[in-house]
Amino acid sequence: MEKIILGVETSCDETALALVTTQKRLLAHKVTSQAHEAFGGVVPEIAARAHLDILPDMMRDILKTSALSLSHIDGFAATCGPGLIGGLHVGASFTKTLAFICQKPFMAVNHLAAHALTIRLTHEVTFPFLLLLASGGHCQILIVRSACDYKLLGRTLDDAAGEAFDKVGRLMGLPYPAGPAFEILALTGDARRYKLPRPLLTDKTRPFDFSFSGLKTAARLILDHKNVNHADLAASFQKAVSDIFVNRLKNALAWCQENRIPLSHVVISGGVAANKTIRQDLYELSKTIPFIAPPISLCTDNGAMVAWAGVELYNNSITYGLDFQPRPQWPLEELRN
Ligand code: KG4
Ligand code: ZN
């Protein structure tokens, strides 16, 4: 029988709720982004209070738009890490309370797993698949073997890809988070105008890792000059990130082939996956293994990805006690099977 799962996301500055069914139907979906622009980034304390303020109204809203009541919900899932601990506690406590009142299971969702599994909500993607998870907080290449089994191949040694977009964007006067405006600016620029480094690509000892700090510094040094064309710099920077992604994924694909891992797909997820130019470049990656990305609206933080990760846990009978403590750090390798 089709079951309905609530997903609650509060790990950063997006408050998001969604109702998703075990038959992959998205019944309701609402995201509210907080304004942290004045501070140039997210202020954890302000973010946690804002989640607390708006969660009840948003919950009423999604029940209204889906014409459902609490009693129709079969399971309650909340992001419990990694993320800002204040916000995680707000979302987890809210969701646990609903699970307690309704006497239904509670699922503690790992935010990275939610990004990783989103593609299975919208497309038929079987395990194992190769994943590039590129968001504001993370940049990793993983083999996703099941909903709770991840093999980490490589990760960033410094900044995350989204963070690099945000920091360079800020220097160019773009609003926070800079990714969407950066992409629009880059559309009118010449990607060959500025020569930017592709860190680590010649380092044979780190074939799957990332480093963005040198690239970011190179962009900053260019911006120190007069008459810098921002559109050209945005396009050149975006192209460098895309080249790095392509190179790292090619190495990972070759490794998977050598080790006879029967990948079904190559997937990109996380906020940076919303970038259409980068997605376009990744389509050329492999002739044999299809590349696929979630719909743009499900790349950045949202409740549907949490509800769907909740469905995957529910389907595997993995539920959590109401005493589960949110975790600011929660590496995917530490998920329980
Ligand atoms: O997944 P996400 O919403 O939050 C985290 O889990 O971190 O990712 C947010 C990040 C931000 O750094 C934002 O600038 C970036 O994703 N982003 C983009 C684009 N849209 C969002 N980066 C590049 N191009 C975009 N179109
Ligand atoms: Zn995220």
Side-chain angles (χ1 to χ4, degrees):
M1 210 180 84
E2 189 173 26
K3 303 285 184 183
I4 301 173
I5 307 293
L6 170 76
V8 176
E9 163 58 41
T10 56
S11 68
C12 192
D13 57 338
E14 260 89 29
T15 317
L17 290 176
L19 291 167
V20 170
T21 76
T22 45
Q23 309 285 332
K24 302 189 172 188
R25 287 195 303 135
L26 182 56
L27 303 179
H29 173 41
K30 202 167 169 58
V31 182
T32 308
S33 298
Q34 302 171 14
H36 290 274
E37 209 178 312
F39 309 100
V42 179
V43 183
E45 175 71 21
I46 295 178
R49 283 165 190 254
H51 292 307
L52 197 56
D53 276 350
I54 56 176
L55 268 175
D57 277 347
M58 285 179 70
M59 185 69 208
R60 273 185 218 107
D61 255 26
I62 64 160
L63 288 175
K64 200 169 166 197
T65 52
S66 57
L68 292 169
S69 70
L70 273 183
S71 61
H72 292 108
I73 301 176
D74 300 289
F76 294 83
T79 298
C80 286
L84 302 173
I85 194 65
L88 292 173
H89 271 296
V90 170
S93 303
F94 179 81
T95 311
K96 285 177 186 174
T97 306
L98 295 179
F100 178 74
I101 293 167
C102 301
Q103 289 296 295
K104 294 284 167 56
F106 168 69
M107 278 79 65
V109 167
N110 178 296
H111 184 82
L112 305 178
H115 275 305
L117 299 170
T118 310
I119 196 71
R120 285 167 48 83
L121 166 63
T122 53
H123 296 80
E124 291 304 315
V125 171
T126 53
F127 300 118
F129 58 89
L130 184 68
L131 175 75
L132 167 60
L133 202 167
S135 67
H138 297 86
C139 191
Q140 313 183 339
I141 295 183
L142 301 139
I143 298 169
V144 185
R145 297 190 282 220
S146 81
C148 332
D149 183 6
Y150 299 79
K151 179 176 173 56
L152 180 71
L153 290 186
R155 57 157 28 117
T156 181
L157 307 179
D158 39 59
D159 289 350
E163 193 181 355
F165 273 109
D166 293 340
K167 287 179 176 169
V168 174
R170 188 178 183 188
L171 295 173
M172 294 198 293
L174 300 178
Y176 176 87
F182 207 111
E183 181 180 1
I184 293 168
L185 183 63
L187 281 177
T188 56
D190 175 2
R192 288 159 308 179
R193 171 83 183 272
Y194 295 108
K195 297 265 168 293
L196 291 168
R198 272 80 172 139
L200 291 188
L201 295 209
T202 52
D203 183 346
K204 293 274 180 284
T205 65
R206 293 190 174 277
F208 317 124
D209 287 333
F210 301 87
S211 167
F212 294 105
S213 68
L215 174 59
K216 194 184 61 187
T217 306
R220 183 171 56 74
L221 292 174
I222 290 170
L223 280 164
D224 284 345
H225 292 111
K226 280 199 184 117
N227 302 325
V228 177
N229 184 305
H230 283 192
D232 290 348
L233 181 60
S236 305
F237 184 90
Q238 185 174 274
K239 181 71 179 129
V241 173
S242 169
D243 284 353
I244 293 166
F245 283 177
V246 168
N247 177 284
R248 306 286 90 178
L249 281 171
K250 277 190 174 159
N251 289 349
L253 274 168
W255 187 88
C256 290
Q257 206 169 11
E258 273 162 33
N259 289 280
R260 297 177 190 281
I261 296 166
L263 296 174
S264 73
H265 290 83
V266 185
V267 176
I268 184 172
S269 72
V272 181
N275 188 297
K276 293 194 203 71
T277 313
I278 291 178
R279 287 161 81 112
Q280 201 53 45
D281 290 349
L282 295 179
Y283 279 112
E284 316 290 323
L285 262 178
S286 165
K287 292 205 167 35
T288 48
I289 301 170
F291 168 78
I292 194 165
I296 305 281
S297 64
L298 297 185
C299 287
T300 45
D301 290 350
N302 64 84
M305 71 183 201
V306 180
W308 175 252
V311 168
E312 298 248 20
L313 293 174
Y314 184 93
N315 285 342
N316 285 293
S317 305
I318 300 174
T319 61
Y320 290 74
L322 297 182
D323 57 348
F324 184 87
Q325 293 279 340
R327 297 181 51 176
Q329 309 285 338
W330 191 6
L332 278 173
E333 309 90 277
E334 287 176 23
L335 279 184
R336 71 178 196 215
N337 280 298

